[in-house]
Amino acid sequence: MRTNKLTPYLFLLPGCVILGAFIFYPMLQAIWLSFTDYNMVSDPEFVKFDNYEKLFQDELFWKTLKNTFIYLIGVVPALVIIPIFLAVLVNQKLKGIGFFRSAYYIPVVTSLVVAGIAWDWVYKENGLLNYVLDLLGIIAEPIPWLTSTDTAIFAVMVVTVWKGLGYYMIIYLAGLQSIPTSLYEAAQIDGANWWQQHTRITIPMLMPFVLIVTIMSSIAAMKVFEEIYIMTGGGPLHASETLVFYIYKEAFDRLNMGYASAAGVVLFVLTLIFSLMNLKVMGKDKTA
Amino acid sequence: MAAKKSSSIIKKILLYLLLIAITLFMIGPFLWLLSTALKSASENIFQYPPKLLPEEPTFSNFGKVMDVFPFWRYLLNSTIVSGLTVILNVLFCSLAAYPLARMNFKGKNTVFILILSTMMIPFQLLMIPVYILSLNLGLQNTYLGMVLPHVTTAFGVFLMRQAFMTVPYELDESARMDGANSFQIWWKVLMPLVKPSLVTLTIFTFVSAWGDFLWPLIIVNDQNMFTLPLGLNMLSGTFTSDWRLIAAGAIISMIPVIVIFLLLQRFFIGGAMKGAIKG
Amino acid sequence: MKKKHLLLAMILIITMIFVSACGSDDAKKDSKDNKDSKGKTEQTTIEFWTMQLKPTFTEYIEGVIADFENENPDIKIDWLDVPAADLDKKILTAVSSNTAPDVVNLNPTFASKLAELDALVNMEEAVSDEDKQKYVKGAWEANRLQDVTFVIPWYLSTEVTLNNTKIYEEAGLDPEKPAKTYEEAKEYSKIIKEKTGKYGYFPSLDLSLVLQHMVVMGAELTNEDGTKAAFNTPEGLKAFEYFTELYQEDLIPKEALSGDQRNTIDMYQAGQVAFFAGSHFISQIKENAPEIYEHTKPSEAITGDTGKKTMSVQNIVVPKQTDNEEAAVKFALFLTNAENQLAFTKLTPILPSAVEALEDPYFTEAGEDAEPTDLVRITAAGQLDEAELLVPPMENYDELKEAMFDAISEAMLGEATPQEALDKAEKAWNEILAK
């Protein structure tokens, strides 16, 4: 290409200035703080690797790390795959489809503080879920979904998925618009059925968007906080406590900002590695 | 022929049933919200078993919410903050995404990864440095202070990059033949073709700016600069929390978001790229 | 052509933004200059933050501020009401950037954390002995860490049990004889469960409540000098066994383990629970569950063999970063004086920390048309003499609290016997206390 060498950087400039100042620079500061003892009141004091040593010896840290991975594994496939179906479903020319699209998007904009109460009704001992399962004869006695060490984290995952489906559906929906209809027309002439059309055209053409959804939902899953905070508070016995919840607790309940930053750096490194792997594996598309 | 027609009708019915079933799952909690907001003062919100239909539906809760805090003032603040954030974010992200998707230059992958990496650390850890920086820039108690930190998001850059990547290369080439420069190609050729993604980014940015709570709270010390979420938080006070009002407030704050969504979603029409490939 | 306009518009908007940014920058400087010039006439501005008192108490607080400004024309009060959920984050960012407000209403736990870091003014020194006498003694001494009293007490509350008389009647129990002790609570729960299938007692286990229950049952938390755990005793074990039994025999809701008071209050409002300690939820119940409110009868706090009852203190702090300590303390004392406290407590069921205010008949006599809210206030005031702060401020409090909650959860979930769990808690506490 015979573009000026400076051109790409000019395009990048405004965005990078903002990201650099408001995220990157603070991020470097957080990394520095992870090597200090900092309680947000007195000045930070350099302590070398003390925070990291303490972190790696803390059983609870490993437990929250494990929970974070369980969360990741549980939530991401659902959030990558189901929204594709939803997007295809609401991309049809049907009467009232706009209503359904909006309805599926509603969880994204529903305040979780308030929706949390509705979910309580679902998960309570005498709540909806136990009622239905009992009716179907699946369970003999009610399961305390949010206060059992076996189920709490999975119960919260459902809320995350519920809240995320519409979000990723919209990304796919945008992706679907870029697929030329002529491709489907050609396939129809070749006698491809519905399933074949989608596996041969939709999915491959959506790949750039599958990549972004995978990476975004993984990052979101690794940073999950709000749902946990509202639904279980990390309990019972830390069974649903994730890394960011742990970070939050250390930073704002115990004022160990240095230590919390160290945990944050570990989260950062893990997320980065995971995202790079994703990019490598799935990003073998045209330009990445 | 008739058989085919009736089978297509059955198909349609099944399709709608499916759509409705999913709808129920998705909007269940919202229905609870709505019914709570409509319940009158004499009704028990926490009744067991829960009642979805209000006995004497009333809109008075919505009115009350507006009296609790300077509603219109906060609405205006929220609108300004969200509007600015959306315009700048969409602009900056699409600018930055263009070279990342369609140009070759030194350090391209590094820049991209660095941009992505800004999503990977929780905001709570960045809060204090960002606050101190904003203080130094004199951004406290300003709209700009609420807006600036959010006007470029890694997600936005990423989304627009992926969108630009789906546009066939022949289009740039032919535009370049016609003597267009990079900026013109970006603006005249590419931007119109990625409208669905622009719409998506607009919606997402609006939603997050509209609902943002923690950052405005920290950067603003002047009650006149509060945004809607900060006002709504006043509804659950130290000694009170009337869930009717909280629910009504939540719904009020959802309305603009839903309106924007309804307005913009018509850009999601199958086959927007029809014919574009001819090039 | 159209697009060019759009572009133009965009450029315009961006310039406007930057202009407005610079504008606000100037405005900021202006206000600073103002401050300086005001400094010459010795006008001080006090930044005062409260925890979510708007809109219910807007008028009241504004009234207090106006009165104060009238009396002290050289001091101006800037009031900001902050949503409670994130007040801690706002105050921390302010403190870390050296821009802390001058007077703040903080909850005791968070205040003690800041006190631990020596960020709060020592009221022992800042307040005269004469002024100190005006406060209920227990309240003045409640927030003290290593001989530093880091707050001025504002209002108090004691725990009052709320009873759903309807459930009592359904179960054939006499609502005039509500559960007074842990043993009775258990007994009642059994009867209620059998007769109605509902829950009797819902003990809240969040915040410092596990520790409180243990103290009420007779356990000591630490030794005299606070260096070693002292609760691994028959009394401590009794507390662990008590809750384990309740939980495993399904006499309390499984949600008790969530450690979140929201569940307690929700279930009481749903009419699924007969009694719980919830004096400060009474207004909420009135708003959300009017019919349950009508059937609510307050009674004295449930207690153990010690007969101890708990008191909690809300307070006002002055951060050390303030430039106007004198004026700040002056305002804090004004806000918490008897007259202003009495007016405040008339608005909501809380108790004043000022001795004089407590003598008002408002806290002793129930009118004929007394509502549950009034009865809560009178019951609460009635037990103030016997109530004390059961869990004093401790360093690393949050970790201690969590270690105990984890241990009792293990026992309740059956993952350890109560004795094993107690041993574990003791070990954890000794490690934390040794720090």
Side-chain angles (χ1 to χ4, degrees), chain B residues 41-42 44-46 48 68 128 131 142 144 213 217-218 220-221 223 233-234 236 238 240-244, chain C residues 17 21 24 28 51-52 54-55 81 86 90 96-97 155 266 269-270 272 283-284 287-290 348 350:
Chain B
S42 62
N44 184 351
I45 304 299
F46 290 89
Y48 184 85
V68 167
I128 291 175
Y131 179 68
T142 62
L144 206 56
F213 174 77
L217 175 69
I218 286 178
V220 169
N221 269 346
Q223 221 121 16
N233 228 277
M234 297 288 169
S236 56
T238 304
T240 56
S241 34
D242 187 335
W243 282 97
R244 291 176 203 85
Chain C
I17 291 163
S24 63
K28 178 116 184 134
M51 199 161 58
Q52 209 144 14
K54 277 191 180 176
D81 192 43
D86 294 281
K90 185 158 174 77
S96 68
S97 57
Y155 53 87
D266 287 0
Q269 291 182 133
Q272 295 285 295
S283 312
Q284 233 186 90
E287 283 163 349
N288 293 310
T348 186
I350 47 173

Side-chain angles (χ1 to χ4, degrees), chain A residues 190-263:
Chain A
D190 291 348
N193 62 28
W194 181 88
W195 180 252
Q196 286 165 332
Q197 283 179 37
H198 284 299
T199 47
R200 287 183 200 163
I201 302 168
T202 313
I203 305 287
M205 292 297 282
L206 267 186
M207 270 331 266
F209 293 89
V210 175
L211 174 71
I212 183 170
V213 170
T214 309
I215 290 183
M216 291 302 303
S217 62
S218 311
I219 294 177
M222 291 187 89
K223 279 168 68 180
V224 65
F225 172 73
E226 203 193 359
E227 295 93 309
I228 309 268
Y229 184 73
I230 288 167
M231 301 296 297
T232 65
L237 276 179
H238 310 280
S240 61
E241 188 168 328
T242 56
L243 195 49
V244 173
F245 192 90
Y246 178 80
I247 291 172
Y248 179 90
K249 212 168 66 179
E250 285 294 338
F252 298 109
D253 288 346
R254 302 187 178 166
L255 315 191
N256 297 327
M257 197 42 138
Y259 184 71
S261 299

Side-chain angles (χ1 to χ4, degrees), chain B residues 221, chain C residues 35 44-50 75-80 91 94-95 98-105 119-121 123 152 316-332:
Chain B
N221 269 346
Chain C
K35 251 187 191 168
T44 32
T45 305
I46 296 289
E47 239 185 287
F48 170 44
W49 290 4
T50 53
I75 305 175
K76 193 183 162 295
I77 307 289
D78 239 347
W79 175 35
L80 180 70
I91 197 113
V95 170
N98 218 346
T99 52
D102 305 288
V103 180
V104 196
N105 161 218
L120 303 177
V121 166
M123 296 299 172
I152 292 177
I316 300 288
V317 306
V318 175
K320 271 195 174 163
Q321 280 176 13
T322 175
D323 296 326
N324 313 303
E325 186 184 313
E326 209 175 309
V329 172
K330 198 172 185 184
F331 176 66

Side-chain angles (χ1 to χ4, degrees), chain B residues 93-104:
Chain B
C93 288
S94 358
L95 277 173
Y98 174 45
L100 290 174
R102 307 177 79 88
M103 289 181 188
N104 284 314

Side-chain angles (χ1 to χ4, degrees), chain A:
Chain A
M1 276 189 198
R2 49 183 177 82
T3 42
N4 188 324
K5 263 191 181 164
L6 265 177
T7 317
Y9 302 104
L10 282 177
F11 275 96
L12 283 165
L13 189 69
C16 286
V17 166
I18 295 288
L19 282 178
F22 287 101
I23 304 193
F24 218 74
Y25 164 71
M27 221 159 81
L28 292 178
Q29 280 191 310
I31 293 173
W32 178 70
L33 284 178
S34 75
F35 295 101
T36 67
D37 186 3
Y38 180 46
N39 56 32
M40 291 178 269
V41 177
S42 1
D43 287 334
E45 190 187 319
F46 186 66
V47 293
K48 286 184 284 187
F49 288 95
D50 283 10
N51 288 327
Y52 291 93
E53 264 169 47
K54 211 176 118 202
L55 190 66
F56 294 139
Q57 280 165 15
D58 188 354
E59 273 171 50
L60 188 53
F61 164 72
W62 292 107
K63 183 164 190 170
T64 58
L65 197 60
K66 192 182 118 202
N67 286 341
T68 304
F69 273 103
I70 295 178
Y71 219 89
L72 184 75
I73 294 164
V75 160
V76 172
L79 286 178
V80 171
I81 296 164
I82 303 173
I84 299 185
F85 286 101
L86 292 183
V88 170
L89 198 60
V90 299
N91 196 36
Q92 302 176 84
K93 283 188 184 117
L94 278 175
K95 256 212 171 100
I97 202 71
F99 165 78
F100 291 108
R101 273 180 200 162
S102 316
Y104 298 177
Y105 190 65
I106 276 193
V108 181
V109 295
T110 309
S111 137
L112 204 54
V113 177
V114 193
I117 294 203
W119 277 102
D120 276 351
W121 286 118
V122 174
Y123 283 134
K124 263 180 199 182
E125 245 185 302
N126 49 11
L128 186 68
L129 186 57
N130 279 323
Y131 176 76
V132 171
L133 291 179
D134 185 47
L135 215 63
L136 297 173
I138 295 174
I139 51 168
E141 53 183 79
I143 296 170
W145 296 101
L146 291 172
T147 48
S148 149
T149 45
D150 301 325
T151 53
I153 194 169
F154 300 101
V156 185
M157 279 183 196
V158 173
V159 179
T160 302
V161 171
W162 167 78
K163 207 166 162 47
L165 287 176
Y167 188 86
Y168 298 112
M169 174 190 84
I170 298 294
I171 299 183
Y172 285 132
L173 203 51
L176 285 178
Q177 315 305 315
S178 64
I179 304 176
T181 34
S182 54
L183 287 181
Y184 292 107
E185 282 154 16
Q188 266 165 1
I189 293 168
D190 291 348
N193 62 28
W194 181 88
W195 180 252
Q196 286 165 332
Q197 283 179 37
H198 284 299
T199 47
R200 287 183 200 163
I201 302 168
T202 313
I203 305 287
M205 292 297 282
L206 267 186
M207 270 331 266
F209 293 89
V210 175
L211 174 71
I212 183 170
V213 170
T214 309
I215 290 183
M216 291 302 303
S217 62
S218 311
I219 294 177
M222 291 187 89
K223 279 168 68 180
V224 65
F225 172 73
E226 203 193 359
E227 295 93 309
I228 309 268
Y229 184 73
I230 288 167
M231 301 296 297
T232 65
L237 276 179
H238 310 280
S240 61
E241 188 168 328
T242 56
L243 195 49
V244 173
F245 192 90
Y246 178 80
I247 291 172
Y248 179 90
K249 212 168 66 179
E250 285 294 338
F252 298 109
D253 288 346
R254 302 187 178 166
L255 315 191
N256 297 327
M257 197 42 138
Y259 184 71
S261 299
V265 170
V266 173
L267 173 74
F268 173 78
V269 171
L270 289 175
T271 318
L272 189 62
I273 293 173
F274 195 78
S275 305
L276 287 176
M277 272 163 38
N278 265 327
L279 276 175
K280 268 255 144 52
V281 175
M282 304 179 60
K284 283 185 181 151
D285 51 2
K286 302 147 216 168
T287 46

Side-chain angles (χ1 to χ4, degrees), chain B residues 11-59:
Chain B
K11 235 181 179 171
K12 240 183 188 161
I13 291 174
L14 285 176
L15 204 59
Y16 274 108
L17 282 178
L18 181 65
L19 284 165
I20 290 166
I22 301 172
T23 305
L24 285 180
F25 171 69
M26 297 301 239
I27 68 170
F30 175 75
L31 290 180
W32 182 82
L33 203 69
L34 189 64
S35 104
T36 305
L38 293 175
K39 280 181 180 168
S40 59
S42 62
E43 228 170 312
N44 184 351
I45 304 299
F46 290 89
Q47 200 164 34
Y48 184 85
K51 253 195 192 156
L52 207 51
L53 287 180
E55 277 161 22
E56 304 160 30
T58 167
F59 284 101

Side-chain angles (χ1 to χ4, degrees), chain A residues 6-19, chain B residues 86-103 105 108 111-112 115 151-164 181-188 190-191 194 197-198 201, chain C residues 7 10-11 14 18:
Chain A
L6 265 177
T7 317
Y9 302 104
L10 282 177
F11 275 96
L12 283 165
L13 189 69
C16 286
V17 166
I18 295 288
L19 282 178
Chain B
V86 167
I87 294 171
L88 292 177
N89 189 40
V90 170
L91 181 68
F92 289 176
C93 288
S94 358
L95 277 173
Y98 174 45
L100 290 174
R102 307 177 79 88
M103 289 181 188
F105 58 94
K108 175 172 152 180
V111 171
F112 181 58
I115 290 178
V151 294
T152 308
T153 52
F155 166 73
V157 177
F158 195 4
L159 180 72
M160 294 320 296
R161 170 187 178 262
Q162 301 307 89
F164 285 139
N181 63 29
S182 296
F183 185 78
Q184 287 165 327
I185 294 176
W186 170 76
W187 181 251
K188 290 196 176 145
L190 295 176
M191 288 297 263
V194 294
S197 292
L198 287 173
L201 184 56
Chain C
L7 203 66
M10 246 191 268
I11 292 166
I14 294 169
F18 281 104

